[in-house]
């Protein structure tokens, strides 16, 4: 979570706990405009870093992540 640590140190929007569906996540934006969203589902940890995305676009992207079963890939 190196990027997240950078955001904590140089935050334009300080880290905040947010709801991502039924999961808690951490969201922040660095002074350079890089947005970070970090959450886990109990099995995996997810970390999205983006520039040029609105908060809503970043959240919609995160909510679109789905697990594929081996017969789908």
């Amino acid at each position: 979570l190196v990027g997240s640590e950078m955001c904590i140190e140089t935050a334009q929007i300080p880290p905040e706990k947010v709801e991502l569906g039924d999961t808690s996540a951490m969201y922040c934006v660095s002074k350079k405009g890089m947005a970070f969203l970090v959450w886990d589902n109990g099995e995996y940890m997810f970390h999205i870093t983006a520039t040029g995305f609105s908060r809503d676009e970043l959240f919609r992207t995160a909510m679109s992540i789905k697990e594929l079963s081996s017969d789908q890939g």
Side-chain angles (χ1 to χ4, degrees):
L1 297 177
V2 173
S4 304
E5 292 170 3
M6 180 182 76
C7 188
I8 291 168
E9 295 171 4
T10 63
Q12 173 183 345
I13 297 175
E16 62 180 300
K17 186 176 180 180
V18 295
E19 295 302 314
L20 188 62
D22 59 355
T23 302
S24 293
M26 291 299 285
Y27 170 77
C28 69
V29 178
S30 74
K31 287 182 181 176
K32 294 183 178 183
M34 189 170 294
F36 299 89
L37 186 62
V38 181
W39 75 100
D40 73 81
N41 66 1
E43 187 175 352
Y44 298 102
M45 178 174 272
F46 301 91
H47 181 176
I48 297 178
T49 303
T51 54
F53 275 44
S54 70
R55 179 183 169 126
D56 287 341
E57 289 172 318
L58 190 64
F59 281 41
R60 282 195 306 271
T61 300
M63 294 295 293
S64 73
I65 295 173
K66 306 284 184 215
E67 183 176 355
L68 295 177
S69 64
S70 59
D71 60 338
Q72 291 176 309

